[in-house]
Amino acid sequence: MPSEIEAISPLVDRLMRLIEGSHCVCGEEPCVELALAEALNNAVVHGNRRDRQKLVQVLCRCELGKGVSVVVTDQGQGFDPNAFPIPQLLRTSAPTTGLASG
């Protein structure tokens, strides 16, 4: 997806149709939709700084009975999560490339 605010809503709508059709998060669709929209907005605005030359990628996996997994990555500079006072429970071993503060 290009780093354009206008690209977020159509992508969210398309992904939500697929997620709803998979029946993997029955009853939780509004929460997934909100989280997806916020993650995409964060990637465009804070990660890629609205640079239209940079892309945002989305990996979505639905499994009946297991829920949905959505990974949003951007081409932003990222940051060192150790530089912020984040509770240990929230820390992951995920790579920090593409993470945006905001």
Side-chain angles (χ1 to χ4, degrees):
M1 175 186 104
S3 292
E4 299 172 359
I5 295 293
E6 301 80 22
I8 294 172
S9 184
L11 181 58
V12 169
D13 291 344
R14 183 174 178 203
L15 286 172
M16 287 310 300
R17 281 193 302 273
L18 294 170
I19 290 169
E20 289 166 354
S22 73
H23 305 288
C24 61
V25 291
C26 293
E28 298 298 324
E29 293 87 354
C31 296
V32 173
E33 184 172 3
L34 177 61
L36 178 57
E38 290 294 324
L40 290 170
N41 186 69
N42 187 62
V44 169
V45 174
H46 301 292
N48 289 347
R49 307 247 183 242
R50 296 186 187 189
D51 181 343
R52 293 174 185 221
Q53 300 300 313
K54 294 182 178 180
L55 298 175
V56 175
Q57 295 182 339
V58 180
L59 174 64
C60 182
R61 180 178 181 170
C62 297
E63 290 188 56
L64 191 59
K66 293 187 177 185
V68 63
S69 170
V70 179
V71 178
V72 175
T73 56
D74 59 55
Q75 295 178 307
Q77 193 172 19
F79 65 91
D80 178 3
N82 295 315
F84 297 91
I86 300 172
Q88 189 62 33
L89 287 175
L90 298 178
R91 295 193 188 278
T92 67
S93 59
T96 59
T97 302
L99 292 178
S101 63

